Amino acid sequence: MASLWVAPSGPRIPLAPGESVLAALRRAGIELESPCGGEGVCGKCRVRVEEPQGVPETPHRRLLAGEVREGWRLACLLVPEGDLAIHLPADALLDARILEGERLSASRLAPAARVRWKRGAPWLEYEGAEPVALPGWGSPTAPKGLAVDIGTTTLVVSLLDLAGGRELSTASALNPQTAFGHDVLSRIQKGSTQEGLGELAAAVRGVLNRLIGEACREAGADAGEVVDAVLGANTTMLQLAGGIDPAPLGRVPFRVGIAGGRSYPAARFGLDLNPAARVYVPPVAHAFVGSDISAGLLACRFFEREGPLLFVDIGTNGELALSAGGRWLVTSAAAGPAFEGMGISQGMRAAPGAVEAVHTDGGTVDVRVVGGGPARGLCGSGLIDAVAALLRLGALEPSGRLRRPAEAGRVAPGARERLAERDGKPAFRLADGVFLTQADVRQLQLAKGALRTAVDLLLAEAGVRPEELREVVLAGAFGYHLRPESLEAIGLLPRGLADTVTFAGNTSRLGAGLLLLDSHLRGVLEALMEQTRHLALPESRAFQDAFVGNIGFPC
């Protein structure tokens, strides 16, 4: 049997007949960037074969002729016919940096799950369910709960003491489903077959249970003590974790297959907890506005603040909410993976080596790299900063056209030598070996155009002018790394709103924790979401017309 050797000191992996290098690496637990799910489209799953002579090429527009001669191939398209030695890119074995956000605390304790001792035996009393006996439950044992956030890219699990209201520990990891694609539509397509759904469900459940184990070990607890959980996730992630066919989410009329605002047995989501444990799913507003958003609105006190207030969760699918004059509106817009560094020529997650910030004083360019070492790529926050900086330097026109080296005279002196060309197209050198290309700028334009259009139409629907907004709340761990002035510079936010921006962190996890510790809030949130109207903006003609006008950058 042929084998794949990961040089210089990696494993030897037996190769099945017809198996691609990417599939073999995944089977061995080694992940490469593959936003397209291994379809040969994105060109990101690069490996270098040790002896390229005789190894078939894998033609792709992102593989330059010189790189092909050096042995670079796409792992998803390379099917070895015999033994093969490869070298992985430097980021193949690195996890992303995951921001876990604020620690949870509770001002009121009224958990849905309580353990009562009756006639010397422990019973679980769960709100809305009949009491259940808990065999093997010792008297010193304290009931625990989980606040879980299943993001498209990351998973976060927090363990809480239900009796004391304390957060005991938190564990996080990349969502393993990224191996099948970085956006929800890729996963809907993958999960639309029984086999694919099984793979996706097993992948996310396996990592969630590993994180639960890690959180319990750190806290000196046991998973059998966990009797309640609250699950924040977008609708696709909810259904995949629950083993529910996601296909209706991907086509009109976008039918949701899971009910929010109710509790399920933990086994429904494959979680290894106490057999009597329940999982509460907060309200789901729409196929593209899930329980993570309803939990997040609760966490940032969206329904209590004096408006107008705009809530924005920036990601592959951007979700937005507006509070204005006692009216509450929610919507979403498919932004694509550019904000997470995917679909970008040298894009990567916020791992060591990623350019995460770009600063300019109008002449020079300075970059900040995760980990402080040499730059190897560009993550989402760095992409936004870079485009904002290039607009200020004159290296990028409002239309989105990058200037070529021949136009250096129209660019700030300190940035002129950074103008470049790659594969005949204009580019800008951010650091040694790291470039922003014309195609990268176009990807960001599409992403920010979709979100800005949703902002504009949401405000118009409520009759609110941008200058009337009192606060813009940016949610999600990604938001912590963004600079409001850069968001305004690229036109994602209307002018004059940078000073109104606040960062709320991982509101999905925070909201899940509040719902875990105070069951009264569940009914409150369900009632409030009943009064919240969803706007199906992307399907409207108005969205399509306005989107075209929002592609460019502010002059």
Side-chain angles (χ1 to χ4, degrees), residues 456-529:
D456 290 347
L457 295 183
L458 201 57
L459 294 175
E461 176 68 22
V464 174
R465 298 190 304 273
E467 60 270 22
E468 293 178 317
L469 284 172
R470 293 190 179 185
E471 188 172 7
V472 176
V473 177
L474 290 185
F478 174 54
Y480 271 126
H481 302 290
L482 300 177
R483 291 197 298 160
E485 56 268 31
S486 293
L487 296 175
E488 188 175 310
I490 69 171
L492 193 151
L493 292 178
R495 289 186 186 277
L497 292 185
D499 291 340
T500 71
V501 172
T502 60
F503 299 98
N506 187 339
T507 55
S508 172
R509 185 188 74 98
L510 293 173
L514 294 174
L515 292 164
L516 190 69
L517 297 175
D518 187 353
S519 62
H520 168 72
L521 292 176
R522 300 183 184 187
V524 171
L525 181 59
E526 290 161 19
L528 291 170
M529 290 304 296

Side-chain angles (χ1 to χ4, degrees), residues 390 394-397 401-413 415-429 435-438:
L390 267 59
L396 181 64
E397 296 180 352
R401 188 182 77 87
L402 271 173
R403 297 197 190 279
R404 294 178 179 271
E407 302 173 272
R410 304 180 68 178
V411 179
R416 291 172 181 172
E417 71 279 4
R418 293 176 178 265
L419 297 177
E421 291 190 1
R422 284 176 65 84
D423 204 19
K425 302 292 180 61
F428 188 90
R429 179 174 54 81
F435 294 82
L436 180 75
T437 70
Q438 182 65 74

Side-chain angles (χ1 to χ4, degrees), residues 285-307:
H286 184 261
F288 298 113
V289 182
S291 65
D292 54 343
I293 300 305
S294 58
L297 295 179
L298 178 73
C300 70
R301 304 180 67 182
F302 172 83
F303 300 101
E304 303 172 40
R305 299 192 194 185
E306 291 186 13

